[in-house]
Structures are given as structure tokens and as C-alpha cells.
Amino acid sequence: MNAARPMPGTGPGLPGPRGSGAGASRWARHRRKAVAALVGTGALLAAVGWMHTPSGLKALAALGVACPVFGATSAQVSDLREMGLGPLRGATPAPARPALGLALDRTTEPQARAWVQARGIACDAITQGYRHLRCRGFDAATVGVAGPPVSEMWLSFGPQGTLVAVDLYRRGLAPADEALAWRDATARLQAALGPPTSAYGNAAPQALQAQTLAAAGVQYRYADYIASVTASEIPRSGLAVREQYLSARAPRS
């Protein structure tokens, strides 16, 4: 999402704070519609980062969902995120929580800034409910992954000021690059965690290109961690691969 150009109907005042009368009612309607759309797609859209990417905006817009993050408070984003994560959590803790070398629930924003700067990655700091670092257009090898350059990476920080989501997105890929990005991302997760909790679709580029809005993915679901790799073919964006690493720890009571 471009912070300077909010989507229609999502400017200041629309999703007011909880308990603020009409604003709260509007926020509740947007939240219910967004969550229904996110769950309905079968993708891990609970992480705030993905909703900022071009594919996220297009998917939500196609479903008639206004962007649920612009104008939202941190508490509202946490509420939306928890509604998305709740049905996806597994029963046991993850044996490891890979996140491109960063530590979910431990890495702070200053530490993440130092991490990207040490790798020569340029990022913008954005506040949309949560704090985010949005990083664009850099060599994949700088964050330890194989394949084509990264289109966008979002690092999202929750109310405690620590990292809760890492979202790495590559789009407009040649078939060979899509295959390499998919193979590398899924192999890294399998090496750390074993077989995925669930898998769907065919990630081969020719299969994705054979139909509109095709997608394939793998998901790992634990009580405190959710990871996914998704490959898709999106109009005007072409072949894309998204890696997503989320803290799924239940909010503090």
C-alpha cells in the first residue's frame, strides 16, 4: 500500500477506534468482510504485510474489500490479525521458527534496521496500525535466499515493538525464476520443519499460466508459528512467489 494514496473509502475517520460509535460500527463491518475474504481465499492473509503488496490489494479489491489497514489503530490491526490467525493455529509449538535469519517476537525495529542496513537494503518506515519496514528491489542473496531479485519485503512489528511477520514477495517472474524461487523457499522450510501441514495446487509455471488467478501453496501451522509459500499467476503481475513467516503466539491477556 502506498501511504500517500489510500484506497477509496479508507481514509481517516472510516475505521474509527473500537467503542467510538459509528466509527466502531464501520470498522466492525470492514473487519468482518475482510476476515471472511481472507479465510475464503485459503491463503495466509492474516499477516499485515501481504495486504500491502500489489497482489494483496488486487485480491482484496476483487473481493470488494476496502483496505482494512488505513486509518486503523494498532489494537484494531491486532484484532484483525488474531481473527485471521486463530483458525490456522496448530496444537503444538514449532520446533523452529525460521524467518530469514530474524527472530520472531524478539527482533526489534532498531535491530531490524541494522540488519537491513548491513546488507545494503533500502527500506521505508511506515506506520499503518503496526510499524513496518518496507524494502524494495534488492538481490535475493542478501537475505540468504536463492533466485530472482526481491520485489518487496515487509517486516512488521506488533504492539510490543518486536517482529511479528516477515513477508517476501517476488513478481513478474520468468518461468525458470518462479520454479527456482518456489523450489528454494519450500526446501528451506522442509529442511527446518519437515513436510508441510498442508499443500494445494500445482506450482509448476506452466500449470499456473494455464488458468487465471491460479495459485499453489504449502503451509506450516503451529501453535506459535505459521509459515507459507505461495506461487501464483496474477493478471498484470505475472508469475509471483510469496514467502510468509508469522508469529502465531496468542496475544497477552
Side-chain angles (χ1 to χ4, degrees):
M1 299 177 189
N2 186 330
R5 296 174 56 193
M7 293 177 65
T10 59
L14 178 59
R18 285 179 290 185
S20 62
S25 177
R26 284 192 295 270
W27 166 254
R29 288 196 299 272
H30 275 261
R31 184 186 66 178
R32 287 193 297 269
K33 194 174 184 183
V35 170
L38 302 186
V39 173
T41 63
L44 284 176
L45 311 189
V48 174
W50 185 87
M51 292 189 285
H52 299 88
T53 66
S55 64
L57 289 175
K58 289 174 185 176
L60 291 173
L63 291 162
V65 180
C67 169
V69 176
F70 282 119
T73 66
S74 176
Q76 288 168 341
V77 172
S78 292
D79 192 18
L80 176 61
R81 187 173 188 273
E82 178 60 20
M83 290 184 72
L85 286 174
L88 300 177
R89 283 193 183 95
T92 60
R97 300 201 301 165
L100 301 182
L102 296 166
L104 294 170
D105 297 308
R106 292 208 326 249
T107 298
T108 64
E109 184 177 344
Q111 290 170 335
R113 283 177 178 274
W115 185 82
V116 295
Q117 288 170 359
R119 289 159 176 75
I121 301 171
C123 304
D124 298 321
I126 295 174
T127 301
Q128 289 172 350
Y130 282 2
R131 290 279 297 173
H132 310 274
L133 293 179
R134 179 184 62 188
C135 314
R136 292 174 165 175
F138 58 89
D139 185 29
T142 60
V143 292
V145 304
V150 173
S151 302
E152 291 191 40
M153 178 176 71
W154 285 76
L155 308 179
S156 301
F157 304 88
Q160 307 304 319
T162 55
L163 185 70
V164 295
V166 176
D167 201 286
L168 188 88
Y169 185 66
R170 292 181 272 188
R171 62 180 176 271
L173 302 178
D177 284 339
E178 182 274 338
L180 175 56
W182 169 266
R183 191 165 56 247
D184 175 67
T186 54
R188 280 185 278 110
L189 280 172
Q190 181 140 355
L193 299 169
T197 306
S198 63
Y200 61 92
N202 185 346
Q206 60 270 27
L208 294 172
Q209 292 175 321
Q211 55 183 310
T212 303
L213 294 175
V218 298
Q219 299 177 350
Y220 290 79
R221 303 180 182 183
Y222 295 94
D224 57 354
Y225 176 74
I226 297 172
S228 70
V229 182
T230 306
S232 60
E233 164 68 23
I234 301 170
R236 296 187 299 277
S237 291
L239 290 167
V241 174
R242 178 174 58 94
E243 303 175 36
Q244 192 174 55
Y245 309 97
L246 314 177
S247 169
R249 286 181 177 169
R252 297 177 183 178
S253 56

